[in-house]
Amino acid sequence: MSTVADSTRVAEAAHQVVRDHDPTEVPVQEFLAATFDAGLAWVHFPEGLGGLGVPRGLQAVADTIIQDAGGPVPFSLNPIGYGMAAPTLREHAGTDELKREWLRPLASTEHIWCQLFSEPGAGSDLAGLATSAVRDGDEWVVNGQKVWTSLAHRARWALLLARTDPDAPKHKGLTYFVVDMTGPGVETRPLRQMTGQAEFNEVYLENARIPDAHRLGAVGDGWRVAMTTLMNERSSIGSSGSRRGSGTIADAVALWASRPDLHTPVLEDRLTRLWLRSEAQRLTSERSRALATVGGPGPEGSVGKLVGAELNQHVYEFCMDLLGPEGLTYHDYTMRDLQRGEDYRGPLQQRFLRSRANTIEGGTSEVLRNILGERVLGLPGDLRADSGKAWKDIPRG
């Protein structure tokens, strides 16, 4: 449990950063680099690696002080870096020197990160992936295709899960790497969405070379390392705002307040129910964060992701129903990359369209229900016909 001394230490460090680097005046990258150096990027990380070695739950103390002073929300600027890459690097990178080399520019958002997991033939069944990594001396040669890779078009580094032993069962023959997205043999192709934006991408790897020093974990132990990433992914995606009425429900409440001409008793009842569900999710997320204080995120994080994804969709469906015919208007389908600091969510119509992906990205709702059934409720697992078989012998396609 956190102590008063730890909380005071975090608060003092946050106030000092704000005094020395006014977030309303200094560049974002400079400010976030200062928070890393002060140990406030992830307060539970070791000192020198962006943390203070204090309980995870005290992150909220630093974040509140920094954001109340006008500081940025770093997760929104580098979501895969902050939410998934950082905890994976901290736990599995080979040396502290390498961890710091990656973590500081990640924390400052100088280097954006992405995640090369899903493939055309391996989405929900991630362990069935086919991208290969073959050892060549002190390097690995990688060939394959990844898909639905968020921010790959802007990323400097990527988390990569690849198959290194096709003769082993599918979960056993995987190894985890960090790949330079600017290196030879890495090609990124944007995938345009129905919003008009292209935040997802296809990524082709053709004889791309990765130093063995950039391997995370042991050869063949990639699935265990990937679980670190996935548990943190679901926790970060599923976490709601820490303040009452925050998160996507704030959009619906703001719209309701701005359009009294569209009020009806039925819509008022729907909004009330959505607000109550949102508050229940927020409190559940708070409990999950408290549990994570004494350990890493577990399958409970899947609750927040599952509920939050479906709640987001219902909130924006309400907004469209309230707007009526106005909900059919759309601002611009021009494909363009968002600029730093620009609200990636766009107007409400765009947020409604974008929310359709929430129940797919970061683990489909169907898969999350299986996880919760098996790992939280203790229900019998699905029958797995490929259990124990060598990956190469499993039918695909």
Side-chain angles (χ1 to χ4, degrees):
M1 298 297 291
S2 61
T3 66
V4 173
D6 287 335
S7 181
T8 301
R9 182 185 177 198
V10 171
E12 289 177 348
H15 284 302
Q16 187 66 49
V17 167
V18 169
R19 283 194 297 269
D20 294 345
H21 307 269
D22 186 341
T24 64
E25 296 182 358
V26 303
V28 169
Q29 290 186 13
E30 179 183 333
F31 179 80
L32 290 175
T35 65
F36 176 90
D37 294 338
L40 302 176
W42 308 276
V43 297
H44 58 293
F45 279 26
E47 294 188 43
L49 296 177
L52 294 171
V54 299
R56 179 193 298 260
L58 293 178
Q59 186 67 51
V61 174
D63 291 348
T64 298
I65 293 170
I66 289 170
Q67 290 164 27
D68 283 350
V73 179
F75 178 82
S76 66
L77 300 174
N78 197 3
I80 295 164
Y82 264 83
M84 302 115 195
T88 306
L89 296 171
R90 177 226 175 170
E91 188 168 338
H92 299 287
T95 65
D96 282 351
E97 180 182 0
L98 195 55
K99 292 175 186 179
R100 181 174 174 81
E101 179 184 329
W102 279 326
L103 286 173
R104 193 174 189 275
L106 180 160
S108 72
T109 69
E110 175 187 354
H111 290 169
I112 302 300
W113 284 67
C114 67
Q115 182 178 323
L116 299 175
F117 276 28
S118 294
E119 298 183 7
S124 295
D125 181 22
L126 176 61
L129 62 83
T131 294
S132 67
V134 178
R135 185 121 190 202
D136 182 19
D138 291 332
E139 294 183 318
W140 294 82
V141 180
V142 182
N143 285 278
Q145 179 190 357
K146 299 291 183 175
V147 73
W148 310 125
T149 307
S150 300
L151 299 176
H153 60 298
R154 294 174 52 196
R156 167 62 197 278
W157 297 100
L159 304 170
L160 170 69
L161 192 60
R163 186 162 305 283
T164 50
D165 186 359
D167 295 316
K170 63 182 183 180
H171 290 84
K172 302 292 185 182
L174 302 171
T175 304
Y176 202 111
F177 303 92
V178 171
V179 60
D180 185 348
M181 291 293 290
T182 65
V186 181
E187 180 187 358
T188 300
R189 300 180 188 175
L191 290 170
R192 193 175 186 190
Q193 303 150 232
M194 63 180 174
T195 61
Q197 303 300 315
E199 59 188 290
F200 301 127
N201 302 267
E202 296 175 293
V203 177
Y204 292 85
L205 300 147
E206 185 175 358
N207 295 322
R209 288 184 170 268
I210 303 174
D212 186 56
H214 289 188
R215 170 172 47 83
L216 303 187
V219 175
D221 199 27
W223 187 252
R224 184 178 68 88
V225 181
M227 286 302 100
T228 302
T229 305
L230 293 174
M231 289 299 100
N232 281 282
E233 177 182 34
R234 288 159 189 164
S235 295
S236 61
I237 292 176
S239 61
S240 60
S242 58
R243 296 180 180 178
R244 190 179 188 188
S246 59
T248 56
I249 191 62
D251 290 338
V253 172
L255 177 63
W256 178 264
S258 69
R259 297 299 302 268
D261 55 309
L262 300 176
H263 291 188
T264 69
V266 171
L267 288 171
E268 184 176 18
D269 181 70
R270 278 180 63 185
L271 178 60
T272 302
R273 291 174 183 273
L274 287 170
W275 193 93
L276 291 171
R277 286 175 58 193
S278 179
E279 182 66 5
Q281 187 217 0
R282 183 186 71 83
L283 294 173
T284 300
S285 295
E286 287 293 306
R287 185 166 65 248
S288 179
R289 279 192 283 267
L291 290 172
T293 298
V294 293
E300 295 84 0
S302 296
V303 174
K305 197 281 178 184
L306 172 64
V307 173
E310 296 181 354
L311 179 60
N312 285 349
Q313 293 178 349
H314 293 154
V315 165
Y316 290 122
E317 286 169 5
F318 165 83
C319 292
M320 295 302 100
D321 288 345
L322 176 64
L323 287 173
E326 292 179 46
L328 297 175
T329 61
Y330 197 71
H331 65 299
D332 187 8
Y333 282 103
T334 302
M335 181 173 163
R336 63 186 180 86
D337 194 12
L338 298 179
Q339 303 302 309
R340 177 177 291 275
E342 186 176 355
D343 187 349
Y344 68 94
R345 301 178 306 158
L348 285 172
Q349 290 88 339
Q350 180 175 318
R351 299 177 204 184
F352 165 73
L353 293 176
R354 178 62 180 81
S355 72
R356 309 322 297 173
N358 293 165
T359 48
I360 301 172
E361 59 193 347
T364 67
S365 291
E366 292 77 12
V367 167
L368 293 178
R369 285 185 165 89
N370 280 353
I371 291 172
L372 293 172
E374 295 177 19
R375 302 185 191 177
V376 177
L377 300 179
L379 299 176
D382 282 346
L383 295 176
R384 294 174 170 86
D386 57 8
S387 179
K389 290 185 179 180
W391 174 82
K392 67 179 184 179
D393 296 330
I394 300 172
R396 291 180 297 282

